[in-house]
């Protein structure tokens, strides 16, 4: 980090001070109320424990490892993040999480969001952060940059400030954090380029079902994150498509069996001849319809998969060509 992304005048927390002459307590509470991190009364400002805590709270090692293949999971753009008001229009419920690896991961009608800790709004903390490893700096910058997309309008700010979410601290230690103050602060992070953040934050929202799938392939883990921790839910995801295939094959085989049973009745001469012909025609119709529907479904799934791959590769190509060419017209069917 060449320099702190925002000026000290725009900080939104004034509870910390920084001194290069006080080791191991480079950070201190300017309000002298305690020796703990603002908003984290269990975390001492002592450097040894603080550094481990910050790495745990902000690093995303598994997603960084998956970064070369995340284009298979999501649109490869860091701006691929819907504002909070738009999350509601897509019928997504905001779920508060503290695990940084779940931040902006979505699962059907849920999206996981990590709130902004108080200390990240302090200029003194960023002075301390500048002395930390590059991977931690880029993780924190990338995390805050996501909020420049999550909160773009005053309506987003009001949603973030709701008591059930509290995505933004209410005050800076003395005064309330208003929409104007927050917009000025977070606007500095909107200017950060992708090379200033860790690989995970080269992407925006990530789809959990795909993360779970590709985690098994590239990381050798059973899953990235369990929504349902019961074996029944996990096995249900496997058996549902198997049962669907079984049902399709059962219909096809039954239709074939009816055709074979009707064949000798048609060749003979008896009063069941009309019914045998009807059964034969019906069995052939069912066989053709079932096969046609199955093939059509398979082609549709294959088309959507190829379409998403093509879209992702085109966006990657645009990203490499520079910021001046963001002209992709084709849209991904999965966002």
């Amino acid at each position: 980090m060449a320099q702190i992304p925002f000026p000290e005048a725009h900080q939104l927390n004034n509870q910390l001070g920084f001194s290069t002459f006080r080791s191991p307590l480079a950070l201190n509470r300017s309000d002298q109320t305690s020796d703990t991190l603002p908003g984290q009364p269990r975390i001492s400002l002592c450097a040894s424990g603080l550094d481990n805590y910050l790495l745990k709270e902000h690093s995303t090692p598994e997603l960084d490892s998956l970064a070369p293949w995340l284009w298979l999971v999501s649109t490869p753009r860091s701006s691929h993040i819907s504002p909070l008001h738009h999350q509601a229009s897509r019928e997504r419920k905001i779920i508060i999480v503290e695990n940084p690896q779940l931040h902006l991961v979505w699962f059907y009608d849920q999206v996981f969001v990590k709130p902004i800790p108080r200390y990240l709004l302090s200029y003194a903390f960023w002075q301390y952060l500048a002395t930390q490893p590059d991977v931690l700096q880029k993780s924190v910058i990338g995390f805050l940059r996501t909020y420049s997309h999550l909160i773009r309008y005053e309506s987003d700010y009001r949603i973030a400030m709701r008591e059930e979410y509290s995505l933004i601290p209410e005050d800076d230690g003395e005064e309330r954090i208003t929409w104007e103050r927050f917009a000025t602060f977070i606007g500095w992070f909107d200017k950060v380029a992708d090379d200033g953040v860790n690989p995970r934050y080269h992407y925006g929202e990530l789809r959990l079902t795909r993360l779970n799938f590709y985690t098994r392939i590239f990381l050798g883990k059973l899953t990235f994150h369990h929504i349902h921790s019961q074996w029944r839910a996990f096995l249900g995801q496997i058996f549902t498509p198997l049962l669907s295939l079984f049902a399709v094959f059962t219909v096809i085989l039954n239709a074939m069996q009816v055709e074979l049973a009707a064949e000798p009745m048609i060749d003979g001469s008896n009063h069941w001849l009309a019914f045998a012909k009807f059964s034969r025609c019906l069995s052939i119709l069912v066989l053709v319809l079932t096969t046609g529907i199955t093939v059509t479904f398979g082609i549709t799934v294959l088309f959507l998969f190829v379409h998403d791959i093509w879209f992702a590769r085109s966006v990657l190509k645009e990203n490499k060509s520079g910021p001046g060419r963001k002209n992709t017209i084709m849209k991904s069917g999965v966002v």
Side-chain angles (χ1 to χ4, degrees):
M1 182 169 59
Q3 61 181 11
I4 297 174
F6 60 95
E8 186 173 7
H10 291 166
Q11 72 172 345
L12 299 179
N13 184 279
N14 53 21
Q15 296 175 291
L16 287 174
F18 177 78
S19 173
T20 56
F21 303 103
R22 297 185 60 186
S23 181
L25 291 175
L27 279 175
N28 57 81
R29 291 290 290 262
S30 57
D31 54 13
Q32 297 182 346
T33 56
S34 68
D35 61 350
T36 61
L37 202 60
Q40 300 293 334
R42 299 174 62 181
I43 307 301
S44 171
L45 292 175
C46 182
S48 58
L50 179 60
D51 295 348
N52 292 333
Y53 170 79
L54 294 176
L55 279 172
K56 179 181 178 182
E57 285 298 303
H58 298 288
S59 60
T60 55
E62 291 184 2
L63 291 176
D64 291 340
S65 299
L66 274 175
W69 301 282
L70 284 181
W71 62 274
L72 294 168
V73 175
S74 173
T75 300
R77 286 198 185 115
S78 58
S79 60
H80 185 66
I81 301 173
S82 298
L84 292 178
H85 77 275
H86 192 56
Q87 299 287 353
S89 70
R90 302 174 77 174
E91 296 187 347
R92 288 183 185 169
K93 181 181 179 181
I94 298 173
I95 306 297
I96 302 301
V97 295
E98 294 295 345
N99 183 350
Q101 297 206 126
L102 291 179
H103 181 58
L104 293 184
V105 173
W106 64 275
F107 180 76
Y108 296 104
D109 61 347
Q110 302 174 348
V111 59
F112 305 111
V113 182
K114 178 179 173 67
I116 299 179
R118 286 180 175 271
Y119 56 84
L120 290 190
L121 307 179
S122 166
Y123 189 83
F125 173 81
W126 284 84
Q127 290 178 296
Y128 177 78
L129 185 63
T131 67
Q132 299 303 301
D134 188 62
V135 63
L136 176 58
Q137 296 177 22
K138 289 187 173 183
S139 294
V140 174
I141 293 174
F143 169 71
L144 277 180
R145 189 178 69 167
T146 64
Y147 270 88
S148 68
H149 300 290
L150 278 173
I151 303 178
R152 303 197 69 88
Y153 304 95
E154 187 173 1
S155 58
D156 301 320
Y157 164 81
R158 288 197 291 266
I159 293 173
M161 295 294 285
R162 289 178 184 173
E163 186 176 355
E164 65 266 33
Y165 300 140
S166 298
L167 297 177
I168 307 171
E170 292 185 2
D171 56 68
D172 61 5
E174 296 177 354
E175 299 179 0
R176 178 177 173 79
I177 297 177
T178 63
W179 158 237
E180 289 76 12
R181 293 180 65 193
F182 181 80
T184 301
F185 170 82
I186 207 66
W188 290 97
F189 292 89
D190 198 21
K191 305 172 184 178
V192 177
D194 281 349
D195 57 4
V197 301
N198 66 349
R200 181 269 174 265
Y201 291 111
H202 292 184
Y203 297 81
E205 298 172 0
L206 302 174
R207 186 177 181 179
L208 181 58
T209 51
R210 291 193 176 185
L211 274 178
N212 285 337
F213 177 77
Y214 288 110
T215 292
R216 298 185 189 108
I217 297 175
F218 298 116
L219 298 185
K221 295 178 58 180
L222 186 62
T223 184
F224 178 80
H225 176 70
H226 278 300
I227 293 293
H228 308 292
S229 57
Q230 299 292 330
W231 275 106
R232 181 177 63 180
F234 176 75
L235 294 176
Q237 298 175 359
I238 300 175
F239 282 118
T240 298
L242 291 179
L243 288 174
S244 299
L245 286 175
F246 177 77
V248 169
F249 287 132
T250 299
V251 171
I252 293 175
L253 291 174
N254 284 339
M256 294 174 65
Q257 187 176 13
V258 170
E259 161 61 18
L260 291 174
E263 185 69 25
M265 298 177 65
I266 294 175
D267 294 337
S269 57
N270 54 61
H271 60 281
W272 288 101
L273 182 60
F275 179 74
K277 289 183 177 180
F278 173 76
S279 299
R280 182 180 187 181
C281 293
L282 183 60
S283 64
I284 294 175
L285 178 63
V286 170
L287 186 62
V288 171
L289 285 177
T290 304
T291 304
I293 292 173
T294 303
V295 171
T296 302
F297 178 78
I299 292 175
T300 302
V301 172
L302 180 62
F303 169 78
L304 292 175
F305 176 76
V306 173
H307 175 272
D308 283 349
I309 296 296
W310 185 16
F311 173 80
R313 296 299 297 179
S314 66
V315 174
L316 284 173
K317 185 177 180 180
E318 287 182 356
N319 291 343
K320 293 179 181 178
S321 68
R325 295 188 62 222
K326 302 296 182 186
N327 302 317
T328 297
I329 298 177
M330 181 178 62
K331 300 298 183 182
S332 172
V334 181
V335 294

